[in-house]
Amino acid sequence: PPTLLAGEIGYRVGRIYTSLSGFSAVSGAGSFQLTAAGAALRAAGFAAWDLGMGMEYKARMGAVMLPRPEFLRRLEELRDGDVEPWTSGMVEADDALEGQVGPGA
C-alpha cells in the first residue's frame, strides 16, 4: 500500500481555501505536498489560497502577502463562489507530478 509522506488540513469558504496545518514525514515532502495541494486546488476552481502568516519558505514557493484591505476585498469577492465537488484523499506522487489531481482526476 502507499505510504503517507505528507498531508494538509484546512477549510474552504467559497472559492478560498485556508490552510490550517500541514505535516511531512520525510525531508522535502512538505514542499511536494504544497505543490500537489496547489495543483488540486487550482483544478477544483479555487481562486485563492490563504497560507496564513508570511514565512520565507512560503515566499520561495510563490506565496504573496496581501495588504489587509486587499485580502478583505478578495474575501468578500470570493466567499460566495463555488468550486468543483472534490473529496480529498491520498494522492500518488506520480499522479501529482503529472497534474492528475483534483476533481475528476
Side-chain angles (χ1 to χ4, degrees):
T3 302
L4 184 62
L5 298 178
E8 165 77 23
I9 186 169
Y11 64 91
R12 79 167 258 230
V13 173
R15 294 182 62 209
I16 302 168
Y17 176 77
T18 299
S19 289
L20 295 177
S21 186
F23 74 90
S24 60
V26 296
S27 179
S31 295
F32 180 81
Q33 175 269 324
L34 284 172
T35 301
L41 293 169
R42 188 171 29 261
F46 284 87
W49 184 3
D50 179 2
L51 293 168
M53 64 187 237
M55 299 181 81
E56 188 177 322
Y57 80 92
K58 296 173 187 177
R60 280 195 312 266
M61 296 197 70
V64 176
M65 289 290 294
L66 296 178
R68 184 171 174 78
E70 174 67 10
F71 176 82
L72 294 174
R73 185 192 67 74
R74 298 269 325 247
L75 177 62
E76 186 174 352
E77 173 188 321
L78 299 171
R79 69 181 174 199
D80 296 324
D82 208 359
V83 295
E84 291 292 320
W86 179 51
T87 302
S88 62
M90 289 184 69
V91 174
E92 294 289 333
D94 291 343
D95 292 342
L97 288 173
E98 295 171 11
Q100 300 174 13
V101 294

